[in-house]
Amino acid sequence: MEQDSYGMVNIQVPAEHLIEAIQALKAYEKAPVQLLTDLCAVHYPDKAGKELEVVYHLHSLTQNLRLRLKVAIAQDAATVPTLCNEFAGANWMERETFDFYGVKFEGHPDLRRILNMDQMDYHPMLKQYALEDETRDDKDDQFFGR
Amino acid sequence: MFGKKVPLSGRNKQMVKIVDQPEGYEGQGFFATSLDKVIGMARANSLWPLPFATSCCGIEFMATMGSNYDLARFGSERLSFTPRQADLLMVMGTISKKMAPILKQVYDQMAEPKWVLSVGACACSGGIFDTYSVLQGIDRVIPVDVYVPGCPPRPEQIIEGVIKIQELAKNESLRRRNSDEYKRMLESYNIETK
C-alpha cells in the first residue's frame, strides 16, 4: 500500500515481509537504499490490533530519495524482525525503540535498555503511563492536572 | 595578626581583609583558643569544591570561578576533580535517574568531613523536569547541606551558598561526624558508615 504524505512516500509493510522489502529496496537498481536514517515507533492506543507502529526512515543517497516504511503491530505481540544484518546502525536505534516502546526485535544481538536506567520496569513512551514523575511531591495535583 | 587590615605598600594603598580571629585569650607571645574554632576556621577558608556540573547551572559556576566573581576569594581556589580530595560537593544541574547511582558513588568516595551544595532548581527538586527520567531532587540519594534556588542562580547566589557552607564548616563541632545522629542520617540514605 502506498500513500503520499508531505512529499514523502509511505509504505505499509507487514512484519513478516519487512526483511524482504528492505532487501529489495537495497537491491533496487534505479534508487538503491543505502542508509537507515531513523528508526522509531509510535503508539496509537485506540487502533485495536495495530496499537504500535514501527517506522523506518530510509534514504537512497545516490538518488537523494527518502521514503518511510511502516510496520503496524499489536501491542500484546509487539515483535518485528531485526534490521541489524541489513544496517549495522539499526542496533542502537532498535535498542532505543525497545527501551521506550517495548517493541521486541527478533534476532537482535543485544536487546537491552540504552537510555533509561536499567532498573526501570516499564516502557515510558507508551501512552498508558504518565510522563510526570510519580514521586514528585511539591506539585499540587489540582493545579498541575494530574 | 588576625582581624587587622594590612596596608599594602606601593602605588595602590589598598587594604587586604584577613579572616577574623576566633575568640580566645591573648597575651604576650601566646594565643589560646579551642581546637574546634581553629580547625573550623581553617576548614571554612580552604574548602576544596568538587564541581559536579551537568547543565546550565554549571555555566553559571564557570562564571563564579571566573575573574569577575572569583570564588577563589573565599578560599576555594583549588577545584578538586577527584572526590577523594574534595570537601564540598557542588551539584549543579539536572541529575537523571540513571546518573543517581554515580552521584551517590562520588559522595561515597569523598572523605569526611564533607558538605553538599545543591545549586539550581533541578538539583534541588527536579525543577521543570517533572518527568520519568529525572531525579526529583538530589536529596533523594544524598544528604544536602545548602540549597541554592534559581533557574539558573546567578553567581552571587552561588557565592552566597558557599558562604553558608563556610558558616556550617566554621561552627561544626569536631565530634559531629562521629555522632550517632549523623550515622543514623547517613543510614537513612542507605550510605554505609564505617
Side-chain angles (χ1 to χ4, degrees):
Chain A
M1 195 173 78
E2 278 188 39
Q3 66 192 74
D4 191 70
S5 67
Y6 300 102
M8 206 199 264
V9 179
N10 267 6
I11 307 172
Q12 293 274 356
V13 183
E16 58 269 28
H17 296 305
L18 175 69
I19 298 291
E20 258 176 83
I22 297 278
Q23 281 169 349
L25 285 166
K26 279 177 84 174
Y28 185 48
E29 271 171 33
K30 281 183 185 165
V33 163
Q34 290 102 348
L35 181 70
L36 177 69
T37 315
D38 198 11
L39 190 166
C40 56
V42 192
H43 188 210
Y44 299 107
D46 299 332
K47 285 189 184 172
K50 290 181 175 181
E51 288 94 352
L52 282 167
E53 202 164 64
V54 186
V55 187
Y56 301 86
H57 289 246
L58 299 164
H59 193 176
S60 169
L61 295 165
T62 45
Q63 297 296 315
N64 197 19
L65 192 78
R66 292 172 189 271
L67 69 151
R68 259 188 233 118
L69 239 69
K70 291 185 174 182
V71 179
I73 44 176
Q75 199 180 337
D76 47 5
T79 308
V80 286
T82 180
L83 279 194
C84 286
N85 300 321
E86 273 64 44
F87 298 105
N91 190 318
W92 283 14
M93 293 196 265
E94 286 181 350
R95 278 178 65 185
E96 186 190 1
T97 309
F98 165 74
D99 190 354
F100 283 99
Y101 292 90
V103 177
K104 287 180 187 63
F105 291 87
E106 223 163 17
H108 191 286
D110 183 25
L111 194 64
R112 62 196 161 91
R113 287 185 186 275
I114 184 165
L115 290 174
N116 283 305
M117 59 176 187
D118 299 326
Q119 294 85 355
M120 191 177 252
D121 52 3
Y122 68 107
H123 303 285
M125 294 305 271
L126 293 175
K127 292 207 167 81
Q128 67 261 39
Y129 303 112
L131 271 180
E132 290 87 3
D133 191 280
E134 315 268 311
T135 60
R136 179 107 175 211
D137 45 22
D138 64 333
K139 280 186 164 183
D140 191 328
D141 288 357
Q142 194 188 333
F143 301 116
F144 289 90
R146 282 196 289 194
Chain B
M1 184 173 72
F2 297 105
K4 285 175 193 154
K5 294 192 169 174
V6 184
L8 277 184
S9 58
R11 233 175 47 199
N12 300 323
K13 294 226 163 176
Q14 280 178 314
M15 303 301 251
V16 175
K17 203 176 170 239
I18 293 181
V19 173
D20 287 335
Q21 177 180 352
E23 274 175 48
Y25 297 100
E26 200 174 4
Q28 199 168 30
F30 81 94
F31 176 75
T33 184
S34 71
L35 197 57
D36 270 33
K37 281 177 188 153
V38 176
I39 290 182
M41 186 185 77
R43 280 178 177 171
N45 295 292
S46 63
L47 287 171
W48 285 10
L50 165 61
F52 197 96
T54 52
S55 41
C56 47
C57 290
I59 306 293
E60 293 298 311
F61 173 72
M62 291 169 208
T64 313
M65 286 308 297
S67 49
N68 259 324
Y69 296 97
D70 198 10
L71 197 62
R73 294 179 294 147
F74 302 90
S76 298
E77 171 71 48
R78 200 270 191 185
L79 294 184
S80 173
F81 291 100
T82 159
R84 308 271 183 206
Q85 296 162 358
D87 307 304
L88 169 61
L89 177 61
M90 298 176 77
V91 184
M92 299 162 284
T94 321
I95 302 297
S96 67
K97 283 179 182 168
K98 199 169 180 176
M99 200 183 268
I102 293 146
L103 178 66
K104 194 168 180 174
Q105 191 179 5
V106 166
Y107 180 81
D108 263 347
Q109 288 175 341
M110 288 169 68
E112 295 279 14
K114 52 191 172 185
W115 292 271
V116 178
L117 179 65
S118 167
V119 176
C122 294
C124 295
S125 73
I128 57 166
F129 299 104
D130 180 9
T131 179
Y132 57 88
S133 58
V134 171
L135 191 68
Q136 303 296 303
I138 58 163
D139 50 7
R140 284 163 192 248
V141 288
I142 55 171
V144 175
D145 291 282
V146 173
Y147 297 86
V148 179
C151 187
R154 285 192 55 80
E156 292 95 326
Q157 290 171 269
I158 300 178
I159 289 174
E160 168 86 17
V162 173
I163 291 173
K164 292 265 187 256
I165 294 272
Q166 284 187 326
E167 270 161 32
L168 287 178
K170 205 176 283 174
N171 299 316
E172 184 177 307
S173 121
L174 287 184
R175 302 296 299 163
R176 179 184 167 237
R177 308 272 165 173
N178 300 320
S179 68
D180 286 340
E181 193 189 359
Y182 186 71
K183 276 180 189 151
R184 272 200 301 279
M185 189 274 292
L186 284 187
E187 274 158 16
S188 72
Y189 285 92
N190 288 321
I191 293 168
E192 243 179 85
T193 50
K194 278 110 210 168

